[in-house]
Structure formats: structure tokens, C-alpha cells
């Protein structure tokens, strides 16, 4: 195993620093919304990586914390709109989990803006792209995560 | 063809036996109604085809050995130019080759084509693979295809990982090929990391009971039970009351719009078919509780018939209640303010003569949208009330009364209803539009004497003297039945309080609970025509379950590791499907166990378990963590 040891620093000037964002998405709505963005060829920021689970209710605090621990600059948790959950109330459970996660992230000393929750339906391709662009801009403004140890991919 | 040039076949049957029509060919309708109607005619067509089903015969395949160290193969799809036009496929293949446990990597022009599938099978066989990564499009549409191909050759379909480099990469980062390439590499790296952690899963099978329970003996229940019984499935129709027919039965309904067919005639015809079908009818019988799952429900019947009934599928046809206006519009104060249902009952007794407190009214006013389109009661439209009010208005007008209808919008969406509206206008029925949010005032001393309102079109206040006020009441969820079956079956209820279908277009009569279907007004207000169509649709969908000998169970569900469980019951508390339950394994010691046939695999219990004692198969902590690790590690050496 040879992890790269590039130091990541926000550089001013010509080279724009790009954040590393992890997106957790439920299979039925948000992941499908990202596919819809694709089918409609709605271009958006590429600096995120998606991890699919069946329901946003599956997204436990440990996943988000692990992502930050490994150096994520931002984490987006997404699911079906309230009332639309494929599993009836999974997203409401996700919301409760998210509140807990937010508190833990705050305890770690990370800015609140690095973690976001969004409900995106399977039809909302344009909204998915918007959320990604907006969140990328927000995280870019915050700069590299203070937890980033330099083992990141860039 | 009807006069409008549209096929005249309200319930799907045409004037020729064996020819059915559905969808917009019958009349303008929205997609959910089209889908329900299409299922309904399929059920009718089945009646002709009983005994001629094509038996699917599959040879058992020998399962490939997938044990041992991961041997991962990767297929990177070009998808013509969809992916290859943006991403460098050769680079991705080369990159993938260097990832841990990868023993083979290849490109494919179209991985989902027959040729692509052959290449895939070849790759598995040649390299003796036990994991497969397919970098192509979205698993939501294409995973089933790859899974099926793999199942055919005995390769466990749960050892496939799809990496979405088309919909979520080449299509959306077209102008940024460098970033897109890097993203694709990372996604493949994450996919390989997950594939290393995948475990083979096996679909369980449980026997399917070929019988059905229909709850509710209104027109929806009668239709659904008949359609199923005619196909040879044993059906039990349970009705709480002492007679069948619901709102179609005496003394509820005189004529059906728009053809003015007597309700009794229609009901008798339907009951005759029900009797001939051989369905078992239990009157004065209620369903106390239901346990189990698709293929194996157990219903506890109480009342006149008490028994434990085992069925494979359940159709909920509990119907709807009518809105009770209570004090509104002087309803309980004035004897000459009645509901549309009360007027209908009078018409059942005598459709030539209406008497209120011994005298014949010379004028009548109809108030529409009572209890409908009202955020406080029912925000939706009850659909049946406009045509019903117009039908009643025509009948009263023909008795010589002066009729005024106070409305917000006239909604005559069902076949023939608009024509009826025009007929009413032609007969001199007055229609007065009141503004949104406004209500008419009914005034009088000991009985209603006039209706006051603001006329939206004239822009002025009006007072219309009247001898009779008819409140066109909307529909409400049937209580306590709706809450009861929501609780015991976990069928979801929408914001309006009615049972909610799985999906308006993709599953208009299905529920999230497999094997439980919805028929009629239990799902939302509708008229008789739509109710009959929907009931047939529910029967058609139920017969799809009942025709199978076994039910396959999704193996990607949650499982409790009992040694780690401390029996706190959190999982049992949060699960909407009652899948986990606490079991006392020795006196005082409880552990949770998850019924795999009830579990939907959402994984919410896994994330909530304070002891980390639950595993979400196919989405395990280990699999998700492996992806996160791979995302942040550019590890390429083996």
C-alpha cells in the first residue's frame, strides 16, 4: 500500500482548490435524482463521490464521521422528501440520526457548513445538480477540512 | 363508439365478447386511472384465458464456487459513445487491472447487449471469477439484467457491483473530461473495494397460499371477489354489515349517472355474477387481526363467522364515509337542510315526488364541495359529488322545481358527466359560482328560507329564496376501518387520511406491503365506474401473486447477531413493517429476531441499533466503510 503524500492546501491564484465531497444517497429518490440529472444531461460540479444505500434511514452517524475522519471536506446526506419514503418513515428516522450526527460533527470542531441534509426526489434532476453546485461552492469557500491529514486523493 | 367518437365501454368491456378497451381510448383520463383500468381489463381478459397459462420452465443450474480469496473481474462499458465519448476506457481498464484482487479487466462496447453479456460470461468462466464489477450505467435500470445473466450461469447475482460512470459521470461532466476521468477512476476504486466485501446471498422461498381475502362487501369488494373467484382462486369476501352492496345497496342509491341505470339493477347483476363465481361470502363478520406476509397471511375473523383464515393475498375494499356537516349551513337546525345522501334515499322511495315535513318543495338549492376541497376537512376533490348533484338536480327539475346550484368549480371528469351538465343547463338549472374561500349563508327562522352568497361572475351579493337545501357531501376515510388496517397491516395512509397506493402510476392499486391491494374508495374518493375498474385492477394484481406456487424473499435484508443483541427493542419500535420482534430465549433474556419475509431491507434498524447487533445484508457497515476508505486512498498495489 502506497498512499500518496501530497499536502492539500487551498491555493490562491490560478489553481482553484477542489473539495472532496462524499454524498450518501438513498436508492429510490436521491440516487435516482442524480440519474435523472444524467438523463437530462444537466451538467454540474464533479468533485463529489456518491455512496448508495437503500434508504436514508440506513445512513448512520458512523458513516458521516468516517468520511470526515478520512478527510472529506464536506458530506451531503440525501433522501426522499418527507412523506415520499419508499419505506414509509425511513427518511424521518434519517432526519433524527442527522440531528445527532450534526452535534457530533460540531464537537469535532468542524464548521456546520460542511454537513448538509437535502431531500431530493427521483424527478428532481435539476435540483440535484443545483444542490451539488451550491454545496460545492459552500465547501470550497470553507477550504480544506481541518481534519484532513493529507492522505486524501488529491 | 359513443356519440363523441370514443369507444363506449365504461368498465373496459366492449360490445364484443373478448375485445377489451382501456386507457384514453375509453375517454380522456389521467395516467393513474389509465394504469388501473389497463390492469382491470387484463383481469377481465384472464377470465377467457383461465387454464391456458404458459408455464415457465427453468432448468436448475449448478452454482459456481465463489468461495476463497476475491477474484474480481471488471467490465468497463463504452456504451457506444455515451461513456467512451468523454472517458478514456483503455485508461480505466488499465487502472482497474492494478487494483487489489482484480484478476481480469476488459472493455465492452455495450455491456448490456447480447454480445456484452456473452463477454461477461466468458470473463467469469475464463478467469474463474468470484466477484464482478461492471462500470457502466445505473444499477437502478441495469443491475437486474446483469443479475439475470449471472443467475443463468450459476454465478451468485449478489456478487456484482455496478459503478455508475455514465448517468452520474460522463453525462453530467461532459465538458470536464479530466475531472470526469478522475471521478470514474475513484468510483471504480470504490466499487472494487465494495466488491471485495460482497457476500453471496440466496433468495429464500416460502409457499404461496392460492386463496384471497377481500375485506368489504361494497361494489369494489364484490367486483374484486368475483374476478378472483372466476379464475378459480378460493376467495372469502367479508362484510361487517348484514347485506352486500355498500353504497349501491338500498336505500343509498337510486340511479347511476350518467345513464340513469337503476342502482338495484346494477347491483343485482353484480351479485348474480358473484354468486356464480363461487366466492364465499361472510356477512356480519369482521376482521379482528391479521398477521403474516405475502403468500401466508392469517386473518382472525370474528362475528357471525369466527375462524382463523389463511390466505395468500388481501384486498382492502373498506370503502369511505360521507362527510357529516354537523352544524354547517344550518344542517342540524333546519329540517329542510339535508345531505345529498338523504335526498338520494328519498328518491329511492319515490323518484317522482319529494316531500319535506309533509309539503312538496317548489325550489331547491344545492351547495357543492361540502367537506371537500377544504383544507380543514378533506383538501382533495371528492370527484363524485358534482355529477351526483347535477343528476339529482335534473330529477328535481323534472318534478317542476326551480333549482340553483352553488359551486366553486364544476368538475365533470367522468364519461358522460359533461353532457349531463349541459342537459341540466338546458333544463334551466341555475349555476351560481361563489369565490374561492367563500361559503354560502343559509338563513331562516325555524326552517331554511334563503341562501345568500356573493356571485363571483356578477360581482354582487345575491339572496335566493329556497324551500330545500341539499348539501353535496364529499367522502372521508372510512373509520375506524382505515386506522385499524393501517395499524395491523402497515399499509400507509396519505396526508388526506385515505390508504395510499404504492405509486400513482407504477402501482395504483398496490401498497408497500406486498400481497395487500387496494380497491375502491378506501384509496380515495371515486365514483362507481372508477371503483369497479380499480377493483378489477386489484384482482388482476392479486392473481399475479396467487398464480405462483412460491414467494421469493429478498435476501438483502437485515439480520440480528444474537450474541451482540441486548434486547433493548429499539429495532422493534422503529420498524414500520413489524419485522423485528423480541424473543425470550431464556427466562428474563430477550433478543431481537428479524422475520426475513417481513423485512424490506431499508437498513434503518441497523443504523439505530445501539449495540451494533444488526447487519444490513448487501449494505453492511464493512461494505460502506470499504467504499469510504477507498475513496480517500489511492491504493493501487496488490
Amino acid at each position: 500500500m502506497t498512499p500518496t503524500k501530497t499536502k492539500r492546501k487551498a491555493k490562491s491564484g490560478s489553481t482553484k482548490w477542489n473539495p472532496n465531497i462524499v454524498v450518501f444517497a438513498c436508492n429510490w429518490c436521491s440516487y435516482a435524482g442524480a440519474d435523472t440529472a444524467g438523463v437530462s444531461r444537466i451538467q454540474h460540479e464533479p468533485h463529489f463521490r456518491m455512496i448508495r444505500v437503500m434508504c436514508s434511514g440506513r445512513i448512520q452517524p458512523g458513516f458521516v464521521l468516517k468520511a470526515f475522519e478520512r478527510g472529506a471536506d464536506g458530506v451531503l446526506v440525501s433522501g426522499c422528501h418527507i412523506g415520499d419514503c419508499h419505506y414509509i418513515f425511513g427518511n424521518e428516522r434519517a432526519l433524527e440520526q442527522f440531528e445527532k450526527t450534526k452535534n457530533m460533527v460540531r464537537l469535532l470542531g468542524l464548521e456546520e457548513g460542511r454537513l448538509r441534509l437535502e431531500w431530493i426526489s427521483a424527478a428532481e434532476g435539476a435540483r440535484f445538480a443545483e444542490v451539488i453546485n451550491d454545496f460545492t461552492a459552500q465547501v470550497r469557500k470553507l477550504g480544506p477540512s481541518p481534519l484532513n491529514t493529507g492522505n486524501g486523493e488529491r | 363508439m359513443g356519440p363523441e367518437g370514443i369507444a363506449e365501454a365504461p368498465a373496459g368491456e366492449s360490445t364484443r365478447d373478448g375485445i377489451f378497451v382501456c386507457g384514453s381510448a375509453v375517454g380522456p383520463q389521467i395516467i393513474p386511472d389509465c394504469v388501473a383500468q389497463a390492469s382491470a381489463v387484463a383481469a377481465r381478459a384472464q377470465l377467457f384465458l383461465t387454464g391456458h397459462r404458459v408455464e415457465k420452465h427453468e432448468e436448475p443450474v449448478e452454482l459456481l464456487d465463489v468461495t476463497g480469496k476475491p477474484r474480481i473481474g471488471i467490465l468497463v462499458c463504452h456504451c457506444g459513445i455515451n461513456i467512451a465519448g468523454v472517458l478514456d476506457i483503455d485508461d480505466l481498464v488499465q487502472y482497474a487491472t492494478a487494483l487489489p484482487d482484480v484478476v481480469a479487466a476488459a472493455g465492452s462496447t455495450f455491456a448490456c447487449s447480447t454480445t456484452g453479456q456473452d463477454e461477461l460470461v466468458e470473463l467469469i468462466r475464463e478467469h474463474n471469477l468470484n466477484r464482478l464489477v461492471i462500470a457502466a450505467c445505473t444499477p437502478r435500470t441495469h443491475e437486474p439484467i446483469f443479475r439475470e445473466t449471472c443467475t443463468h450461469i450459476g454465478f451468485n447475482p449478489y456478487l456484482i457491483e455496478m459503478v455508475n460512470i455514465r448517468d452520474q459521470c460522463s453525462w453530467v461532466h461532459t465538458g470536464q473530461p479530466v475531472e470526469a476521468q478522475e471521478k470514474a477512476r475513484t468510483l471504480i476504486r470504490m466499487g472494487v473495494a465494495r466488491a471485495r466485501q460482497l457476500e453471496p446471498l440466496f433468495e429464500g422461498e416460502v409457499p404461496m397460499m392460492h386463496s384471497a381475502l377481500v375485506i368489504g362487501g361494497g361494489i369494489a369488494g364484490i367486483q374484486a371477489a368475483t374476478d378472483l373467484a372466476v379464475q378459480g382462486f378460493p376467495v372469502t369476501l367479508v362484510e361487517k354489515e348484514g347485506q352486500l352492496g355498500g353504497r349501491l345497496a338500498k336505500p343509498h342509491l337510486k340511479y347511476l349517472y350518467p345513464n340513469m341505470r337503476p342502482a338495484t339493477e346494477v347491483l343485482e347483476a353484480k351479485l348474480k355474477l358473484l354468486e356464480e363465481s363461487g366466492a364465499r361470502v361472510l356477512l356480519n363478520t369482521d376482521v379482528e387481526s391479521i398477521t403474516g406476509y405475502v403468500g401466508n397471511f392469517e386473518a382472525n375473523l370474528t362475528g357471525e363467522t369466527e375462524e382463523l383464515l389463511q390466505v395468500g393475498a388481501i384486498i382492502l375494499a373498506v370503502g369511505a364515509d360521507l362527510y357529516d356537516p354537523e352544524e354547517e349551513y344550518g344542517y342540524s337546525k333546519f329540517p329542510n337542510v339535508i345531505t345529498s345522501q338523504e335526498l338520494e334515499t328519498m328518491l329511492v322511495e319515490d323518484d317522482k315526488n319529494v316531500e319535506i315535513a309533509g309539503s312538496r318543495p317548489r325550489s331547491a338549492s344545492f351547495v357543492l364541495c361540502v367537506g371537500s376541497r377544504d383544507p380543514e376537512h378533506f383538501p382533495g376533490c371528492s370527484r363524485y359529488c358534482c355529477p351526483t348533484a347535477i343528476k339529482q338536480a335534473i330529477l328535481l327539475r323534472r318534478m317542476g322545481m326551480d333549482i340553483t346550484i352553488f359551486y366553486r368549480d364544476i368538475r365533470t371528469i367522468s364519461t358522460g358527466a359533461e353532457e349531463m351538465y349541459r342537459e341540466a343547463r338546458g333544463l334551466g338549472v341555475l349555476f351560481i359560482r361563489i369565490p374561492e374561500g367563500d361559503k354560502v349563508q343559509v338563513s331562516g327562522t325555524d326552517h331554511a328560507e334563503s341562501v345568500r352568497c356573493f356571485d363571483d361572475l356578477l360581482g354582487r351579493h345575491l339572496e335566493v329564496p329556497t324551500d330545500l337545501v341539499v348539501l353535496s357531501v364529499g367522502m372521508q376515510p372510512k373509520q375506524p376501518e382505515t386506522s385499524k388496517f393501517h395499524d395491523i397491516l402497515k399499509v400507509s395512509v396519505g396526508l388526506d387520511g385515505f390508504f395510499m397506493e404504492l405509486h400513482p402510476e407504477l402501482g395504483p392499486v398496490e401498497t408497500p406491503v406486498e400481497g395487500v391491494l387496494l380497491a375502491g374508495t378506501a384509496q380515495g374518493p371515486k365514483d362507481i365506474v372508477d371503483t369497479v375498474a380499480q377493483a378489477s385492477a386489484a384482482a388482476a394484481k392479486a392473481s399475479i401473486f396467487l398464480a405462483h406456487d412460491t414467494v421469493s424473499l429478498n435476501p438483502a435484508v437485515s439480520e440480528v447477531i444474537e450474541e451482540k443483541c441486548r434486547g433493548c427493542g429499539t429495532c422493534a419500535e422503529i420498524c414500520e413493517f413489524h419485522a423485528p420482534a423480541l424473543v425470550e430465549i431464556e427466562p428474563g433474556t430477550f433478543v431481537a429476531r428479524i422475520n426475513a419475509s417481513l423485512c424490506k431491507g431499508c437498513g434503518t434498524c441497523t443504523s439505530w441499533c445501539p449495540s451494533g447487533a444488526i447487519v444490513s445484508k448487501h449494505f453492511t457497515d464493512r461494505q460502506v466503510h470499504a467504499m469510504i476508505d477507498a475513496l480517500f486512498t489511492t491504493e493501487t498495489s496488490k
Side-chain angles (χ1 to χ4, degrees), chain A residues 39-121:
Chain A
V39 171
S40 322
R41 308 295 195 279
I42 304 168
Q43 305 296 305
H44 49 268
E45 287 274 12
H47 308 290
F48 70 97
R49 309 290 180 252
M50 191 93 121
I51 295 178
R52 178 177 70 110
V53 287
M54 291 312 281
C55 178
S56 56
R58 175 73 184 95
I59 305 163
Q60 60 202 28
F63 292 171
V64 176
L65 296 179
K66 169 104 182 173
F68 279 124
E69 181 205 331
R70 291 307 312 259
D73 301 305
V75 175
L76 177 69
V77 172
S78 58
C80 308
H81 286 276
I82 295 294
D84 284 350
C85 179
H86 190 76
Y87 305 99
I88 308 177
F89 291 125
N91 52 359
E92 301 202 19
R93 302 295 181 193
L95 179 61
E96 290 171 58
Q97 290 281 40
F98 182 79
E99 292 303 322
K100 287 186 228 163
T101 314
K102 220 161 66 177
N103 289 334
M104 292 185 233
V105 168
R106 200 181 296 132
L107 279 176
L108 289 173
L110 287 171
E111 300 91 330
E112 259 185 55
R114 295 192 186 276
L115 178 61
R116 197 193 266 197
L117 173 73
E118 290 281 359
W119 306 135
I120 300 165
S121 81

Side-chain angles (χ1 to χ4, degrees), chain B residues 59-71:
Chain B
E59 293 283 325
V61 284
E62 203 179 316
L63 299 183
L64 299 178
D65 180 20
V66 291
T67 54
K69 198 175 179 299
R71 294 177 56 80

Side-chain angles (χ1 to χ4, degrees), chain B residues 1-18:
Chain B
M1 297 279 195
E4 321 87 345
I6 289 175
E8 197 167 51
E13 278 145 48
S14 72
T15 41
R16 286 192 61 180
D17 265 359

Side-chain angles (χ1 to χ4, degrees), chain B residues 42-206:
Chain B
R44 300 288 164 79
Q46 273 173 0
L47 306 185
F48 289 84
L49 307 173
T50 310
H52 295 88
R53 288 204 188 89
V54 180
E55 295 277 328
K56 270 195 194 168
H57 196 70
E58 277 168 22
E59 293 283 325
V61 284
E62 203 179 316
L63 299 183
L64 299 178
D65 180 20
V66 291
T67 54
K69 198 175 179 299
R71 294 177 56 80
I72 304 174
I74 300 183
L75 205 62
V76 184
C77 182
H78 292 242
C79 195
I81 57 160
N82 281 297
I83 298 171
V86 178
L87 302 175
D88 180 346
I89 305 292
D90 290 341
D91 169 76
L92 293 177
V93 170
Q94 210 181 350
Y95 178 77
T97 313
L99 292 168
D101 293 333
V102 173
V103 296
S108 173
T109 317
F110 285 103
C112 60
S113 67
T114 321
T115 324
Q117 304 280 295
D118 291 344
E119 288 166 5
L120 188 108
V121 170
E122 191 50 39
L123 197 72
I124 294 174
R125 287 191 173 139
E126 192 189 329
H127 297 277
N128 192 22
L129 303 178
N130 58 15
R131 301 286 188 284
L132 193 61
V133 174
I134 301 162
C137 51
T138 172
R140 298 185 67 258
T141 55
H142 281 64
E143 198 173 56
I145 297 169
F146 296 117
R147 280 189 174 171
E148 204 187 321
T149 302
C150 286
T151 306
H152 281 309
I153 61 158
F155 184 88
N156 191 281
Y158 292 87
L159 296 174
I160 307 171
E161 171 67 5
M162 278 192 77
V163 177
N164 190 336
I165 57 167
R166 187 189 72 176
D167 304 49
Q168 298 186 8
C169 191
S170 67
W171 275 354
V172 291
H173 312 308
T174 316
Q176 293 169 280
V178 177
E179 285 83 355
Q181 188 76 17
E182 197 194 330
K183 181 172 176 176
R185 281 174 159 223
T186 313
L187 291 176
I188 289 174
R189 193 168 70 233
M190 290 163 72
V192 168
R194 181 174 142 84
R196 293 170 78 191
Q197 304 295 338
L198 289 177
E199 286 161 26
L201 299 177
F202 301 91
E203 287 174 7
E205 277 189 345
V206 286

Side-chain angles (χ1 to χ4, degrees), chain B residues 389-403:
Chain B
I390 294 168
K391 173 196 79 178
Q392 293 177 336
I394 291 174
L395 287 170
L396 298 192
R397 182 72 188 141
R398 292 215 172 110
M399 294 177 201
M401 285 188 217
D402 289 331
I403 312 290

